Amino acid sequence: METDSATAVLQARGIVKIFGQHRALDTVDFDLRTGEVHALLGENGAGKSTLIKILTGAYQPDGGEVLLQGTPVSFRDPLQAQGYGIGTVYQEVNLLPNRSVAENLFLGHQPTRWGLIRRREIDERAAALLATYGLEIDVRAELSEYSVAVQQIVAIARAVELSGKVLVLDEPTASLDRNEVDRLFEVVERLKSRGLGIIFITHFLDQVFRLSDRVTILRNGRKIGTQPLAQVSTTDVVRMMLGKDVAFDHHPTGLSGAERGIPRVTFKGMGKAGRVAPFDLTLHEGEVVGVAGLLGSGRTEMARLMFGVDAADQGSVEINGRAVAVKTPAQAVAAGFGFCPEDRKLDGIFGDLSVRENIIIALQAKLGWFRALNRDEQIELAGRYAEALDIRAANHDMPVKLLSGGNQQKVILARWLAIDPSVLILDEPTRGIDVGAHAEIVRTINRLREEGLALLVISSELDEVVAYSNRVVVMRDREMVAELTGDDVAPDVIVRAIADHPTRQEPSA
Amino acid sequence: MPGIESNAVEPTKDELRGLSGLQKAIRLAPTYGLVILMVGLVILFSVLLPNTFPTMLNLRSILSDKAIIALLSLAAMIPMVAGRIDLTVGYGIVLWHILAISLQTMYGLPWPVAVGIVLVLGVITGFLNGLLVEVARIDSFIATLGTGTILYALALWHTGGRQMVGQLPDAFYAINGTFIFGLPITAFYVMAITLTLWIVLEYTPIGRYLYAIGANQRAAELNGIPTRKFVIGAFVASGVLAALAGVLLASKLRIGQASVGLEFLLPALVGAFLGSTTIKPGRVNVWGTIVGVMILAVGISGIQQFGGSFWVEPLFNGTTLLIAIGIAGYAQQKKGTKSK
């Protein structure tokens, strides 16, 4: 299908972006029309932010081209893109909180006379400008005196003023309450009717359906599709976001009837206000419990509560029927828990330390600081787990940051296996790693289950979750909304559980 | 396969096996470059200055001169392992060496008590720094700059700008002035502390924890390491070592004054930074720090014997630091891009 370049204000054709060996974007097409709100959806690592950074000039593509009103353009940096008419507003307001609203609006292009800023003119123009956004505030007051929503509208006004053709809204509603969201949406509608093309990034599906005309869905750096929202359901969208490129038939897992052992750990009424609603969950010996849910559904927050990274403000943990305190990671490790965090680089890997040091660190932390692992024990441990998990490193004294993502993930897995855990929590263990390592990790999960471990695995890859889970719990809006067992452990049922019940109905204001 | 080639800066036995002598040397050069340079400088100066440089007298003077800087360097290095910087080492030594004398002359305390009090104050200062950094979450550079400056102010207030002088017991002078096997006793202190720190940092869980915290504190926390305790502990160790250096300085100078001590701060940091480019390149380490301090000592001693002026010392310190860090950074960058 030909894109209508007459109305397309911004187009991307065959965009490729490669980081190291990782294809962050693989021949992605995208087009934005004038006077439309175009939502961009995808899980973490799908390529949303990479695409936006290319469209706004923060990154240069390794292949493909960007067209602005039909003309190929290449932006050196976001400033140049702004000059061409493309403005961006981020979740965190990028303005100066300690300057006045007016100054923020005109920062960098203040009207001057004899080198002096014309304050009164700035104030007048700022007030007039904001009035067109339905915002009547004292523009001479410091920006920080206003709510995030107002600041966001100021940021939008500034971006539109400076650019005027395309507006990119990167998760603008993440820190807004419901009334503020309504207010922001009014502004967006107004801009849309003025003919701007607006790219809207969010992980709130209800907002996508409320505000957007079309949606483009990315997964693993590829474009899955672009659809007018009038023609798709929430289920379709979730399916496109989470599924593999196969039809979503009813494929129940072969594992649901498999034997599982006695309860290993029970979380009772565990929760934390504002993060995760209280949930009950029991993990059994020799069982994998999969966790499905969209980004921001509370799945990671749940894992962090279980491991004591964030202390729960209610609920209890029982291991083999005995109550234990898990308020810190140290207590969780002592209780025999292991945790592979979602963000490998930020929370998992000690980049500058050697492979060996990375593998032994959790065990050494568990042993405490009076019982040293001597060098031979360390070498033996590292060697054993590197072999068991097929960690490909030239030697175990090299810094772990030089390994590929998949091998780094295996190193973190090895680290937890070394403490001989009884419960293992894996948050997106296969994200962003190559196919070979991916298969290896899935194999390892299956093997660990057979060896009697209790596992909780969070994943955005539904096929994968179904392949290794005995049960699946579904998270939505920071709440555990479903527990699927037996034949229900199937992609189609999971997608429905995530999507079917629409997100909480908004009370009429 | 991706990532299979070795990019380690530090070569392993495995890699060296089967390499020719020259290849081995090339492979080892980045690791032992600074050591080789030091040996080279010693040989060079010995050949050029056969009458003054390779003498026992010169060795003694270098050792006794640089022992204090070596201790301060080690003191600064410990928090660096955990990814923090401690600037109080340079300010603390001003107050500590004054107190070590004034507690005896002004308050009539016996010297062991005076030394004990100074060491305890060093512990307290380190603990405070640790609290500021870990509990109050103030950046370590700023926190220790603040406490350091306050210590310096206390030194000025305490002395009122005067020198602290008085008759001190011989035993106090002996802390610094004794010779064992013809070498100053301070060299043996440094050796003992170096060995202790080396064993602790390389072979005990404490070292593993501190390096892990320095590499990625969030991950360290998630692995059940009590990061807060260990960071505070690192500052305490640093504080007590700096206090010890102050005691040695007092015993050496026999006079306490607020104008002495600050000049040690930068060489001490330079030593620790230089150390991160050798022995275990890419991370601060005990022997590297000692090598760093030694190369500066040897270089400056040689240059001064050639008749270099008083300003040569800081010039040499600064230049060596920039070159060493520059080369190390370049080498790492090259390795880094190769792996991509």
Side-chain angles (χ1 to χ4, degrees), chain A residues 58-125:
Chain A
Y59 288 166
Q60 308 304 318
D62 294 319
E65 57 178 355
V66 177
L67 290 86
L68 186 67
Q69 292 174 319
T71 318
V73 284
S74 149
F75 305 127
R76 229 178 15 247
D77 50 42
L79 202 64
Q80 201 190 10
Q82 205 175 55
Y84 276 96
I86 300 171
T88 313
V89 173
Y90 297 98
Q91 173 186 343
E92 309 293 339
V93 178
N94 272 346
L95 296 177
L96 307 175
N98 56 348
R99 310 302 303 179
S100 77
V101 172
E103 281 176 277
N104 269 295
L105 277 173
F106 293 104
L107 195 74
H109 55 113
Q110 304 93 334
T112 56
R113 178 189 286 163
W114 302 316
L116 298 175
I117 293 172
R118 302 175 62 177
R119 253 206 113 86
R120 183 159 345 132
E121 187 184 330
I122 288 188
D123 291 348
E124 280 165 9
R125 277 173 53 186

Side-chain angles (χ1 to χ4, degrees), chain B residues 71-248:
Chain B
L71 281 186
L72 284 184
S73 253
L74 291 172
M77 184 209 70
I78 302 170
M80 277 186 197
V81 171
R84 306 303 206 283
I85 197 156
D86 185 354
L87 299 178
T88 47
V89 294
Y91 296 99
I93 194 170
V94 180
L95 182 58
W96 307 142
H97 94 276
I98 291 169
L99 279 179
I101 291 172
S102 70
L103 286 174
Q104 299 180 59
T105 58
M106 288 170 70
Y107 303 99
L109 295 172
W111 73 266
V113 177
V115 169
I117 290 175
V118 168
L119 293 180
V120 169
L121 288 175
V123 168
I124 293 172
T125 309
F127 188 70
L128 273 177
N129 279 333
L131 289 183
L132 287 176
V133 169
E134 271 303 297
V135 180
R137 299 257 157 227
I138 301 174
D139 179 77
S140 60
F141 190 96
I142 294 165
T144 59
L145 187 64
T147 46
T149 312
I150 291 170
L151 291 184
Y152 183 58
L154 290 176
L156 290 172
W157 169 71
H158 181 56
T159 59
R162 291 183 305 273
Q163 294 188 335
M164 294 288 152
V165 278
Q167 192 55 47
L168 299 169
D170 288 339
F172 184 70
Y173 296 141
I175 297 176
N176 171 76
T178 314
F179 283 81
I180 297 179
F181 306 124
L183 295 174
I185 192 170
T186 45
F188 293 93
Y189 299 152
V190 172
M191 185 52 78
I193 289 167
T194 304
L195 282 171
T196 311
L197 281 179
W198 173 57
I199 289 168
V200 168
L201 289 179
E202 288 302 320
Y203 295 100
T204 71
I206 299 171
R208 299 274 65 74
Y209 296 173
L210 286 177
Y211 275 113
I213 294 167
N216 186 344
Q217 180 154 2
R218 286 177 60 170
E221 194 106 33
L222 284 184
N223 280 284
I225 295 171
T227 56
R228 184 173 281 191
K229 245 191 252 172
F230 278 88
V231 171
I232 293 173
F235 276 105
V236 168
S238 170
V240 76
L241 269 189
L244 182 64
V247 169
L248 293 188

